[in-house]
Every structure is written in C-alpha cells, then in structure tokens.
C-alpha cells in the first residue's frame, strides 16, 4: 500500500516534469533557429544564466517580496479566521457584514494599490495591505462555510451533555472547520503572491515587482523572466508548505481519505 | 415490581408537534411514562413513532408543546435538563480528529472536566470497554463494533444517572450486535443507571429491559406496557429458554394485535 503510493507519487511528478522539459526544449530550439533577439524573447538558457549571474540582485528583492507575502498572508489569516468565527457566531454580523464582505470581491483589489500608495507611501505597509486584502476573502469564506458544515447531531450531542456555546465551538465546530480553513489558506497564499507584486508594480523601491519594472524599462528581458520564475517558485512552495503544515496538524485526515478509497 | 424505587424520570401527557409543509403534525400525542432509579426501560415502536423526539425532549434538546417532564421528582424546563442525562444517538458521532481516548473523554469534557483529567479517566476504562490497545487509534481505523464501544464509553464515563440510548446497535452486523448486547447487560448490572433504550428489535428489548413500552405509529402514544420477569444476570443462553420465548410471544402477539387494529 505504502509502496504503491510512493510509486504513484513518482509517476505523478514525472508527467508534469516531462511536459515542462519538452516545452522548454521546444522554446530553446525555436529561439535558436529563428535567431530571435534576447530582448524580445530570451531562450530558457538565457533565463537560467540570468538566474545565476543576477542572483545578487534577484535574491534580496525576492526576500522583500517574500516578507510582504508572509506578513500579508498572516494578517489575512488572523483577520479572516477571526471575522469568519464572529460571523458564524453572530446572526447580526452574518446579516450585516457577510454580504458586504462578499460584495467587496467585485472591487478589483489591486486597483486599490495606488490609493494605498498615496496613503502609506512607498514602504512595506501598502504592499502588505494589498496582499492581506486579496488573501482575506478565501479565508473568511472558507472559515464561515467550514464552521457551518459542522455535524448538527454532534452539536446536539454536546448540548445534551451540558456543554456551553463556547465549549461546543472549541470542541466541535472549530476543529471540524479546519480542513476547510486550510483549503482557503492554500488558495489565499497563492493569490497573496500576486497581491504583493501588484503592490510593488504601482510603486516601490525593492521587491521582485519593482525589479520587473526596472528590467523591462532597460530591456533586461531574461532578468524579467527570471523574476517571474522566482515568483512562481515562491507561490508553489508556499502552497506546498501549507499542504505540509495541514498534513502535520491534521494527522487523522489520511485515515479518513484512506477509508473512502 | 417489589419495593418500587423513586422515579428518576416522569413524563406526564407529553404532546409534541412539528412543521411539515406549513401544517403542524403531532409527533407525540399524550405520552405518559415513568422510569425508576436503576430501571432499564425499552421503548419499542415502528419507524416514525416519535421515539427520537421523545429522547430529544428528555435530554432537553426540545421543549414539548405541552406536558411535564420531572427529573428526580422536580419539574424541569428543557434548558434545565441539558447535562442531566447521557444521550447516545443512532450514529456513533465520533469526532474523526480525536483518537479513541479523546472521543471517549468528550462527554466529560463537554460537562467541564479538563481534557487531561477526562482522558486519564477514559484511558483507565479502555480495557473494560474492550478497547485495550486502541486508545491512540482514530475512528476511521476502528471496526463498527469498536466505534460503538467508544461511543458507549463516552456515554457512560460522565456517570449520569439517566442514559438515553437511541438504537445503539442499529448499524451493527448481527454477530457484533449480539456480542455488544450481552456486554451491555453485564455493564448495566455493575453500574445500574436508569436507562431508556429505543429499539425496534423485540428480542433486544426483552433481553435487556425490566419493562418494555410499545409506542404506536405517528402520532406516538404508549399502547402497551409489558414487564419482563426474567432473572438477572442475563446471558445469551437466556435467548433459548422457554421463559424468554414466552415473553417474546406475548410481546409479538401484542404488537400483532396493534398492527391488526391499524390495518
């Protein structure tokens, strides 16, 4: 069983790996054959060279973006779970606040970035806020829906045992909403990367988004694509990291999925 | 019944209604019953006779439309009954993120005992409930019988003087069910809580109970009361005895007459 699953894992990575390798090879060959200038479309090897040669510029800026993403994500996580729990517990908040929160999703939040720039300047704060605003929504919605999906009979069981409202929340409702909250957090962390870059594109002194605007104005196209590669790596690693934390925090889930096979 | 014990529970003329398509229908229509201290009462009836509604009312989850519920002689509101009995529903309702010990401790924790204390007390009872060595297992890793034993431990651990058991063996295979029935009979004889067992298994009712009450189909009403005069401790051998068979015939006849009346 474990052996077979290990094998499956290997096959699962093999497919996308081969596909990416084939696409990169085709890209490389096409650029070389047509003699496309590097500033217009660099070959993958040019991007690779930029990743190595420009590492002293790329890495510090990547760290700036990463810190914006992490701070914004944490803010979104705290606010999202807190407000989600409040909306679940209070019918008034559910009626008044929840529709407004859902309504804000029609606002393109990155469009708020210039406004935040005017308010808070060129520093870290406006980027963290844009990041938090885009990450907040999936977390708050998944928290509310996760809490609502609690088995009503379990709630009745605890009530019959004399448990208070807050004890029922702690013993049953919150733990049973955790898989849903983790699912929201995985989506949130990926969009947080986009949010941070948007914040930087509008106006910044550091970060991968800032590096991209500089690179494109100087026709450093390999560096631009190198920055995009790093952003994509950052997004997928954070996504995988949340998955890992989830597996460690909710060890029981593997048995539940196993029994459904 | 010699030396009639004090009543643990008394229901007087309970009427309960529910909404269906804008109409109010009666689930229970004037149910009156009493359960003595340390008495085991089985409630038998067809599906939809409001048995679960009756247990919800006793547990305090539901207020009847009219009628009185007395616990230990004192009239109570639904809110006052919460926490007074231990309720075991049809599904085992084990929390998938808690281990056997954690799930068994849940009833104690719900009534305010600290988690560490509750789990220690649960751990001390694992052997007795046939769960030795499975304390750290998650529900998804347990068999149906083990899951039900865990639910029983969760129900019994807070040592409430009134147990409400809603078809606790309903989801089990015949062999496991017979096994657990005998085990419950033994356990009950050691602790002697008052029990209301809802079931539609006539043999189970006779095997376990001191008294069997028969409910009619919706709206539920007590149609028949049958004292079970079988010696205790009861074991599986009893099932083949002529006394058991005659009790069973009496009950089945009574149920058959009831059925005949309705059709």
């Amino acid at each position: 069983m474990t052996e077979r699953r290990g094998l499956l894992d290997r096959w699962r990575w093999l497919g996308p790996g081969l596909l990416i390798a084939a696409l990169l090879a085709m890209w490389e060959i096409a650029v070389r054959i047509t003699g496309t200038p590097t500033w217009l479309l660099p070959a993958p090897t040019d991007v690779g060279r930029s990743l190595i040669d420009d590492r002293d510029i790329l890495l510090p800026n990547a760290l700036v973006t990463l810190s914006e993403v992490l701070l914004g994500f944490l803010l979104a996580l705290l606010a999202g779970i807190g407000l989600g729990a409040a909306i679940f517990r209070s019918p008034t908040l559910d009626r008044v606040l929840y529709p407004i929160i859902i309504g804000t999703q029609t606002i393109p939040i990155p469009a708020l970035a210039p406004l935040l720039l005017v308010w808070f300047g060129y520093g870290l704060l406006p980027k963290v806020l844009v990041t938090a605003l885009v990450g907040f929504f999936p977390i708050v919605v998944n928290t509310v829906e996760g809490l609502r999906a609690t088995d009503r009979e379990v709630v009745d069981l605890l009530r019959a045992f004399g448990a208070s409202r807050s004890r029922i929340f702690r013993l049953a409702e919150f733990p049973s909403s955790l898989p849903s909250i983790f699912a929201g957090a995985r989506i949130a962390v990926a969009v947080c990367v986009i949010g941070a870059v948007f914040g930087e594109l509008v106006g910044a002194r550091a970060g991968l988004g800032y590096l991209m605007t500089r690179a494109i104005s100087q026709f450093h196209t390999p560096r631009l694509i190198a920055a995009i590669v790093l952003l994509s790596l950052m997004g997928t690693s954070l996504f995988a990291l949340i998955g890992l934390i989830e597996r460690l925090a909710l060890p029981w889930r593997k048995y539940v999925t196993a029994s459904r096979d | 019944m010699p030396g009639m014990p004090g009543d643990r529970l008394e229901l007087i003329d309970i009427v309960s209604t529910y909404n269906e398509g804008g109409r109010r229908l009666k689930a229970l229509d004037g149910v009156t019953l009493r359960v003595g201290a340390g008495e085991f009462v089985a409630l038998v009836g067809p599906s939809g006779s409001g048995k679960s509604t009756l247990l919800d009312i006793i547990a305090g989850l539901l207020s009847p439309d009219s009628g009185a519920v007395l616990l230990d002689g004192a009239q109570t509101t639904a809110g006052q009954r919460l926490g007074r009995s231990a309720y075991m529903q049809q599904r085992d309702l084990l929390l998938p993120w808690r281990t056997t010990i954690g799930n068994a401790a849940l009833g104690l924790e719900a009534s305010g005992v600290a988690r560490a204390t509750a789990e220690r007390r649960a751990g001390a009872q694992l052997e007795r409930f046939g769960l030795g060595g499975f304390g750290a297992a998650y529900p998804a890793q347990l068999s149906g019988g083990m899951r039900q034993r865990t639910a029983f431990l969760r129900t019994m651990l807070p040592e409430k003087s009134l147990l409400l058991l809603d078809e606790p063996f309903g989801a089990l295979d015949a062999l496991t069910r017979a096994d657990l029935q005998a085990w419950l009979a033994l356990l009950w004889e050691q602790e002697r809580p008052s029990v209301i067992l809802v079931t539609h298994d006539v043999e189970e009712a006779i095997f376990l109970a001191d008294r069997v009450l028969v409910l009619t189909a919706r709206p539920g009403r007590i149609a028949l009361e049958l004292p079970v005069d079988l010696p205790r401790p009861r074991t599986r051998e009893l099932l083949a005895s002529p006394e058991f068979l005659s009790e069973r015939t009496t009950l089945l006849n009574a149920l058959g007459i009831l059925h005949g009346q309705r059709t």
Side-chain angles (χ1 to χ4, degrees):
Chain A
M1 176 76 196
T2 343
E3 207 175 355
R4 189 186 293 166
R5 183 171 283 182
L7 202 66
L8 274 174
D9 268 357
R10 213 167 303 148
W11 280 105
R12 212 177 54 191
W13 288 111
L14 196 66
L18 279 176
L19 184 65
I20 290 170
L23 287 174
L24 285 178
M26 276 162 60
W27 178 359
E28 183 81 33
I29 291 164
V31 169
R32 295 286 171 224
I33 287 175
T34 56
T36 312
T38 308
W39 60 265
L40 189 62
L41 181 66
T45 45
D46 297 326
V47 176
R49 202 168 304 125
S50 167
L51 276 171
I52 296 164
D53 294 346
D54 298 341
R55 61 181 180 279
D56 290 340
I57 314 169
L58 284 167
L59 278 183
N61 283 295
L63 281 180
V64 171
T65 305
L66 181 63
S67 59
E68 290 161 4
V69 170
L70 288 179
L71 284 173
F73 174 69
L74 276 179
L75 204 62
L77 201 61
L78 290 177
I81 294 175
L83 256 162
I87 288 168
F88 171 70
R89 292 285 295 271
S90 151
T92 315
L93 284 183
D94 182 30
R95 256 196 327 274
V96 177
L97 197 59
Y98 202 35
I100 295 175
I101 288 176
I102 291 172
T104 59
Q105 280 312 290
T106 57
I107 304 170
I109 289 176
L112 292 177
L115 192 62
L116 293 171
L117 189 82
V118 173
W119 289 348
F120 302 109
Y122 281 83
L124 200 64
L125 185 62
K127 284 83 178 175
V128 171
L129 288 179
V130 176
T131 307
L133 281 173
V134 297
F136 169 73
F137 186 72
I139 295 176
V140 78
V141 170
N142 275 44
T143 304
V144 173
E145 301 309 322
L147 288 168
R148 280 188 186 153
T150 311
D151 192 331
R152 295 332 289 166
E153 286 192 57
V154 169
V155 173
D156 276 348
L157 175 81
L158 291 173
R159 279 213 304 140
F161 271 119
S164 64
R165 197 68 199 75
S166 61
R167 189 167 281 135
I168 292 172
F169 183 80
R170 188 169 55 76
L171 291 177
E173 287 163 344
F174 185 66
S176 83
S177 74
L178 278 176
S180 172
I181 292 178
F182 268 107
R186 273 204 305 267
I187 300 166
V189 85
V191 296
C192 276
V193 175
I194 301 171
V197 172
F198 250 101
E200 290 170 355
L201 286 177
V202 171
R205 290 191 212 93
L208 286 175
Y210 160 78
L211 201 67
M212 283 158 71
T213 46
R214 287 269 313 268
I216 201 74
S217 66
Q218 295 164 357
F219 293 99
H220 272 313
T221 318
R223 194 183 287 169
L224 170 77
I225 298 182
I228 294 175
V229 168
L230 285 183
L231 281 173
S232 148
L233 266 178
M234 192 184 293
T236 39
S237 314
L238 288 172
F239 188 89
L241 182 68
I242 304 283
L244 180 71
I245 294 172
E246 178 177 1
R247 273 201 297 284
L248 294 175
L250 313 175
W252 54 273
R253 288 208 81 196
K254 58 174 174 283
Y255 303 112
V256 174
T257 24
S259 71
R260 274 188 199 140
D261 279 349
Chain B
M1 242 160 290
M4 185 88 92
D7 287 349
R8 173 113 305 139
L9 170 78
E10 200 175 348
L11 299 183
I12 302 165
D13 207 14
I14 297 292
V15 175
S16 180
T17 61
Y18 63 102
N19 254 325
E20 198 180 86
R23 286 188 309 155
R24 290 216 71 81
L25 297 176
K26 271 186 181 169
L28 297 169
D29 188 15
V31 171
T32 297
L33 65 84
R34 43 162 297 279
V35 180
E39 191 185 16
F40 199 127
V41 173
L43 215 55
V44 184
S47 314
S49 54
K51 293 170 296 199
S52 298
T53 308
L54 197 61
L55 291 194
D56 280 352
I57 290 171
I58 299 168
L61 296 173
L62 201 67
S63 286
D65 291 65
S66 67
V69 183
L70 281 69
L71 280 176
D72 297 319
Q75 189 160 343
T76 55
T77 64
Q80 289 166 341
R81 290 194 294 280
L82 291 172
R84 295 286 297 274
S85 55
Y87 195 171
M88 183 165 163
Q89 279 121 318
Q90 287 178 33
R91 289 165 54 216
D92 59 54
L93 299 179
L94 298 183
L95 303 180
W97 60 87
R98 285 189 167 224
T99 59
T100 302
I101 286 201
N103 267 298
L106 192 70
L108 275 179
E109 275 184 72
S111 34
V113 177
R115 180 160 190 175
T117 315
E119 292 195 342
R120 201 167 49 245
R121 282 175 60 186
Q125 297 289 327
L126 285 184
E127 289 291 342
R128 214 170 134 233
F129 280 73
L131 294 163
F134 287 90
Y138 288 104
Q141 298 172 284
L142 299 179
S143 67
M146 294 276 232
R147 292 174 63 104
Q148 215 57 21
R149 284 169 188 269
T150 309
F152 265 115
L153 180 49
R154 178 188 64 203
T155 312
M156 311 276 242
L157 207 55
E159 294 175 346
K160 307 277 186 197
S161 52
L162 178 61
L163 302 187
L164 310 172
L165 310 179
D166 191 355
E167 295 184 35
F169 310 108
L172 301 174
D173 61 89
L175 225 63
T176 313
R177 189 185 311 154
D179 185 34
L180 276 188
Q181 283 165 354
W183 168 81
L184 179 67
L186 205 73
L187 205 69
W188 179 80
E189 270 149 30
Q190 290 164 7
E191 313 216 338
R192 286 274 176 164
S194 302
V195 177
I196 298 182
L197 169 77
V198 162
T199 177
H200 40 227
D201 180 341
V202 167
E203 295 199 355
E204 176 177 299
I206 299 171
F207 177 67
L208 287 167
D210 298 316
R211 200 147 50 91
V212 179
L213 301 176
V214 178
L215 247 81
T216 57
R218 209 159 278 240
R221 211 178 294 124
I222 305 265
L224 180 77
E225 183 177 336
L226 180 82
V228 182
D229 292 319
L230 293 173
R232 291 188 185 270
R234 296 182 188 165
T235 55
R236 298 305 298 175
E237 288 80 66
L238 186 71
L239 292 178
S241 71
E243 294 84 358
F244 185 87
L245 293 176
S246 101
E247 294 278 357
R248 180 168 156 256
T249 309
T250 313
L251 186 54
L252 281 175
N253 280 342
L255 283 167
I257 291 163
L258 276 175
H259 195 71
Q261 276 174 350
R262 282 198 295 115
T263 49

